[in-house]
Every structure is written in C-alpha cells, then in structure tokens.
Amino acid sequence: MKKIISLFTTLLVLIMTITGCSAAPAEDNSKTESQKIIMQIDNPMMMIDGMEKEIDEGRGTTPIINDDRMLLPIRAAAEAMGANVGWEEETQTTVLAKGNTIIRLTIASNIVYLNEEKQTLDTQPIILNGRTMLPIRFIAESFEYDVEWNEAGQTITITKVKRVQNNTPTNKAADSNKEDNMGKSIVVYFSRTGTTKPFAENIAKITNSDIYEIKAAVPYTDADINYNNNNSRANREQNDSNARPEIAGDMIDLSQYDTIYLGYPIWWGTIPRIINTFIDTYDLSGKTIMPFCSSHSTGISASVNAIRQHCPNSDVKDGLRGAGETSENEIKNWIEKQ
C-alpha cells in the first residue's frame, strides 16, 4: 500500500512545443473566473490562485528541464485541477480522473486512452527516480485547461477559465433575436460514418442556415479509420500535423456568411485533418465560428482549441458536443449562450 501511495506523487512531462491560441472575447453580460497554477524551474514551491504551496510535500522536488522537456510533479497539480490520480501496478498504468473525463497512460507506451478512445502521444510516459513522467499538455487540455510556457521567467502556467453569468437583467426581446443578429450563416460539416450529418442538418434547420458537406476526394473506408491499426490512414494523418487530405468538389463562396457552424466527429481527441484542410483553404478572418462535434465520450475542448489556434482572426465560440439525436432545445441553448 505504501508503494502505491508513493506512486500517487507523480511527475508530468510538459511538451515544450507551446502554441498560442486566443479565446473568443467574453460577452458584455458575463465575467471571467480563472484558476491559475504557476510552477518555476528549480523552485520547490508553486502558486495556486496566489497561494503558495509545496509541490512535493516533504521531498523538496522541483520542476526541471530534461532533454528539452519540462518535468512537473503531478499530485499537487492534479489536485489543484480537481482530479484524482491512481496507479495500476500490474499494467504499469496511471489513471487520472476528473468528473466524466478519465485518462489512462501506460509506461513506455505512446498509446493513451481518453474516455476509452485510443489516441497516440509523441512522447512515452517513463519512470524516473520512482516518479511517473506524463505529458502535461495533453492532460491539462483534456481537463479543459490551458498551458503556457514563459522562457524568460522559466515558468509554466496552467489556467482554467470559465464563464459565469452576471445577475444583470438582459433584454429578453434582444436575446430572442440574437440568432438573427448574427447575420447569414452556413453549416459546414464532415461526417464519415453519418453520425455528424443529422446533427448538422438539425442545426441548419433550427438556424435557417445553408449547409455544405465536406467530402474527402479519396473517401475514407472503415479500414482507414481503424485506430487499432497503427498504419491505418487516419492514424497516419492524425499523427502528422501537416497532413491535409484533399476535399472533393469545387470551392464554395463563404464571403456572404458571417457565421459558420463547423461540425465534425472527434478523431484522436481533436478535429480530423480534413477540417484542417478546410480551415487552411478558406479565409475565415472576421467570421464567427460555432464548432460542434459528434462524440460518445471525448470532450470537445481540445478540438475547439485546435480551431482557435488555426483561426486566430476568427471569433471561435464554445463548442457543442452531441449527436444526431441532440434536441432542439439543447442546440438553441448552446446558441443563446454564445
């Protein structure tokens, strides 16, 4: 039991490829609350919302840089994020759980399971000096946190931002017309298995939007999206950040649309690469993007962050995870909250 408990005080590996991603501006009728965790290289203390706390109680453990990777203690950080950390000795697997999100990472394996969905990391968890080393960026973003690295101060900042509505009365008539004020809209979606398609069609009907389906020039087969096959087409594409599958058909004119409802299935925890192709093909500057995804378990936050990263000049709203059976009220509530 002592051995298992000691392993709960683990370390995280921070992938040092930090990319900027601007969140959409908050509405006037809301405020922002932030939870912030700050750690510094060679400093055994960390700051949690301005309060100082020892990172690895009684051990003096400090974050370090090793082979261009930052190593962080996980227990204090995980607890600050509201997560629990467990260890399965037989399989050498670390289990992190927060709410409905469960992450399973195994020592010396690039394969990670996010809510039972298989994904591939570019670094393997290892054990160093009795501590498990895990990728902080993947974990933090899966728990809907942002991670930033400050080279000058040798610090990392892990931030959780959530929107909280004020009690300020609002104009109900204006709210009811909010959708109309967003201008002309179009639903753009990719649906390989057909799950996302009815979801997209419902949104188009509810919002009175035009609709356009993204189709691959080379259609995906069932074998192409078999994640158990490391050499499947989707595995190769999702593991290649530069992959851009060709879209079939002629380009469409998006200049007439102010709002784009962008739909897709979750592949490997994020957007399919063909969505990257769409984003790279069109100028989406100044447009409002409303992401929605079909997924039985994986959250939408990582995919929304990916869209924000690639669309820095667009107003990318919070996403909606659902499926073909997502109700009209759920869709309307999502739109009204943006």
Side-chain angles (χ1 to χ4, degrees), residues 35 37 77-86 95-103 114-115 139-145 158-162 297:
Q35 181 188 61
I37 306 165
E79 289 178 350
M81 288 189 284
N84 295 316
V85 184
V95 182
L96 299 99
K98 179 185 178 184
N100 295 324
T101 302
I102 301 176
I103 306 169
L114 177 59
N115 292 334
I139 293 167
E141 290 184 349
S142 296
F143 288 149
E144 300 187 348
Y145 279 74
I158 303 172
T159 308
K160 171 78 170 186
V161 179
K162 65 179 180 179
S297 56

Side-chain angles (χ1 to χ4, degrees), residues 20-22 260-264 266 270-272 275-276 278-280 284 287-293 300-319:
C21 179
S22 299
I260 299 173
Y261 294 90
L262 184 57
Y264 47 87
I266 292 292
T270 187
I271 54 176
I275 297 297
N276 290 100
F278 170 79
I279 290 171
D280 289 352
L284 305 180
K287 297 187 183 298
T288 297
I289 299 178
M290 303 276 285
F292 64 95
C293 77
I300 195 174
S301 61
S303 66
V304 172
N305 285 338
I307 295 171
R308 285 176 175 152
Q309 177 185 340
H310 292 285
C311 300
N313 299 316
S314 303
D315 184 7
V316 182
K317 300 296 188 179
D318 293 335

Side-chain angles (χ1 to χ4, degrees), residues 112-129:
V112 59
Y113 287 89
L114 177 59
N115 292 334
E116 303 304 324
E117 182 171 334
K118 181 180 177 182
Q119 300 183 38
T120 304
L121 302 174
D122 63 359
T123 186
Q124 294 182 351
I126 62 172
I127 293 179
L128 180 65
N129 297 327

Side-chain angles (χ1 to χ4, degrees), residues 11-288:
L11 293 175
L12 294 176
V13 177
L14 174 60
I15 302 174
M16 298 300 294
T17 306
I18 303 297
T19 55
C21 179
S22 299
E27 301 291 337
D28 291 339
N29 67 337
S30 66
K31 64 181 180 179
T32 299
E33 288 184 355
S34 300
Q35 181 188 61
K36 185 174 293 185
I37 306 165
I38 303 175
M39 298 182 182
Q40 185 178 40
I41 295 298
D42 296 328
N43 187 344
M45 308 300 291
M46 68 178 181
M47 300 293 292
I48 303 178
D49 292 335
M51 301 292 290
E52 191 174 60
K53 180 178 180 179
E54 191 173 4
I55 293 173
D56 195 1
E57 188 173 355
R59 295 179 178 271
T61 306
T62 67
I64 63 171
I65 296 285
N66 181 45
D67 293 334
D68 294 327
R69 298 289 188 269
M70 174 176 273
L71 309 184
L72 297 179
I74 184 180
R75 182 180 179 85
E79 289 178 350
M81 288 189 284
N84 295 316
V85 184
W87 172 256
E88 296 178 356
E89 179 68 28
E90 183 177 352
T91 59
Q92 295 283 282
T93 297
T94 299
V95 182
L96 299 99
K98 179 185 178 184
N100 295 324
T101 302
I102 301 176
I103 306 169
R104 300 174 63 87
L105 307 99
T106 301
I107 297 302
S109 172
N110 290 89
I111 302 301
V112 59
Y113 287 89
L114 177 59
N115 292 334
E116 303 304 324
E117 182 171 334
K118 181 180 177 182
Q119 300 183 38
T120 304
L121 302 174
D122 63 359
T123 186
Q124 294 182 351
I126 62 172
I127 293 179
L128 180 65
N129 297 327
R131 296 292 188 267
T132 303
M133 320 287 278
L134 304 175
I136 180 64
R137 173 170 290 278
F138 176 84
I139 293 167
E141 290 184 349
S142 296
F143 288 149
E144 300 187 348
Y145 279 74
D146 291 328
V147 180
E148 296 182 5
W149 164 252
N150 182 285
E151 181 67 30
Q154 295 283 283
T155 61
I156 62 159
T157 302
I158 303 172
T159 308
K160 171 78 170 186
V161 179
K162 65 179 180 179
R163 292 160 57 91
V164 179
Q165 293 297 319
N166 282 330
N167 292 324
T168 305
T170 58
N171 187 320
K172 291 185 177 180
D175 283 347
S176 65
N177 292 323
K178 186 174 182 180
E179 179 186 318
D180 294 335
N181 293 335
M182 296 181 74
K184 191 171 183 181
S185 58
I186 184 172
V187 175
V188 177
Y189 72 97
F190 169 66
S191 182
R192 208 303 296 189
T193 63
T195 303
T196 308
K197 182 175 182 178
F199 191 10
E201 291 173 341
N202 284 343
I203 292 176
K205 179 180 178 181
I206 291 167
T207 60
N208 194 29
S209 299
D210 293 336
I211 191 166
Y212 168 73
E213 181 178 5
I214 296 173
K215 294 183 179 181
V218 179
Y220 290 88
T221 66
D222 290 342
D224 286 339
I225 60 172
N226 180 8
Y227 66 78
N228 289 315
N229 178 3
N230 291 332
N231 197 42
S232 69
R233 175 184 173 185
N235 256 319
R236 295 195 307 271
E237 289 178 353
Q238 294 302 115
N239 289 327
D240 180 2
S241 61
N242 296 316
R244 295 294 184 270
E246 184 180 353
I247 296 175
D250 298 329
M251 290 184 63
I252 58 173
D253 180 12
L254 293 180
S255 61
Q256 59 186 309
Y257 302 104
D258 299 317
T259 300
I260 299 173
Y261 294 90
L262 184 57
Y264 47 87
I266 292 292
W267 282 11
W268 286 249
T270 187
I271 54 176
R273 293 298 181 202
I274 199 166
I275 297 297
N276 290 100
T277 305
F278 170 79
I279 290 171
D280 289 352
T281 301
Y282 295 90
D283 181 7
L284 305 180
S285 300
K287 297 187 183 298
T288 297

